[in-house]
Amino acid sequence: MGIQERERKMYRPLRRAGLEVIPDAVPNGTMPFVSGYRPEDIVGGFSHPYETPRLVQRLNEDWYDLAVSSGLLDHRREFLVLLPHGTHTHHALLPKEHLHYGRHTPSPVWTRVRLLDRWDIMGRGAASAFLGIRAGHPGFSMMALDSSVYISCSTGEIGVDVRAVAHPAHSENILQNLEWYAHWDYPRTDKELQKRIAAWLAGRTLGTASRSN
């Protein structure tokens, strides 16, 4: 997809939701994916059933409180969000609880964004097809620029669940899950994602050995 098409189909809808995309600005060494965290890794979050009054407003308020308290936003209100290479719908973006289900679409990648003064993550953002299914039914993955916190939002059968995970790159649960996936020999695995995860794990190992020396 060309730059102009990406601007029209992705960047503009996200800007209307209050997220300004900053292309090609993801920090080096950012882990490519987060999966396999467990309750002991979770440091915050909230849940709201769909029948909650003023659902979108409540979701937005609680997301912002969590983003600020957890350190998702830096001093410029910038952070990372997982977005596709192309213009696939929300269903192609949602992280699976277990990566082995595979994808038939290009792997999502981290994209740097800035939160604007006027924003609506859970309404317009969710309705954009990149941060959810429709208003009040969001689904996304976000991470701080320094990888200190990861925030996952998913829609379930009865409501919306948002969880914050501290220092995902240091979680043994997450690292073990990524290590397993990177080397799992199965036809439906996402080969591109496997390569990126394996490269990140190898770089992390080299960095740890270098610091030890």
Side-chain angles (χ1 to χ4, degrees):
M1 181 174 58
I3 296 176
Q4 292 183 347
E5 185 182 5
R6 194 171 180 85
E7 167 68 27
R8 178 171 57 85
K9 291 185 176 180
M10 180 183 291
Y11 294 175
R12 287 181 187 175
L14 289 173
R15 195 177 299 119
R16 287 194 290 269
L19 293 179
E20 179 184 357
V21 174
I22 307 172
D24 305 318
V26 176
N28 293 330
T30 299
M31 63 190 309
F33 203 85
V34 177
S35 179
Y37 60 84
R38 297 181 180 177
E40 59 266 28
D41 300 309
I42 297 173
V43 294
F46 57 89
S47 299
H48 289 306
Y50 295 127
E51 63 268 21
T52 300
R54 300 180 297 107
L55 176 61
V56 170
Q57 181 179 343
R58 288 285 304 277
L59 290 171
N60 274 330
E61 290 172 349
D62 288 350
W63 171 82
Y64 186 75
D65 288 344
L66 183 62
V68 172
S69 64
S70 67
L72 176 69
L73 311 178
D74 77 347
H75 65 284
R76 293 181 297 271
R77 291 163 45 113
E78 294 179 6
F79 58 98
L80 304 175
V81 62
L82 206 61
L83 294 175
H85 284 296
T87 57
H88 302 288
T89 65
H90 168 75
H91 295 287
L93 304 182
L94 276 177
K96 303 295 188 291
E97 182 180 356
H98 301 290
L99 290 174
H100 62 266
Y101 289 112
R103 290 186 177 86
H104 297 290
T105 58
S107 303
V109 294
W110 292 114
T111 301
R112 189 166 180 163
V113 296
R114 178 182 297 114
L115 187 68
L116 303 176
D117 290 336
R118 299 183 64 180
W119 54 269
D120 182 9
I121 301 297
M122 303 295 190
R124 288 187 176 183
S128 71
F130 298 112
L131 300 177
I133 301 172
R134 60 182 182 273
H137 287 67
F140 52 73
S141 294
M142 298 173 174
M143 191 154 63
L145 295 180
D146 62 0
S147 300
S148 60
V149 65
Y150 166 80
I151 292 182
S152 172
C153 174
S154 62
T155 54
E157 293 184 4
I158 63 173
V160 180
D161 298 309
V162 179
R163 299 290 180 263
V165 175
H167 303 288
H170 299 291
S171 164
E172 288 301 321
N173 295 322
I174 294 173
L175 292 175
Q176 288 175 8
N177 186 266
L178 294 183
E179 183 75 33
W180 164 78
Y181 183 74
H183 298 94
W184 195 42
D185 185 16
Y186 183 67
R188 293 191 61 189
T189 54
D190 186 328
K191 303 301 182 183
E192 177 191 347
L193 183 58
Q194 278 187 308
K195 291 179 181 179
R196 288 196 280 119
I197 290 174
W200 180 81
L201 289 170
R204 182 179 181 277
T205 301
L206 289 174
T208 300
S210 177
R211 287 191 297 271
S212 298
N213 291 336

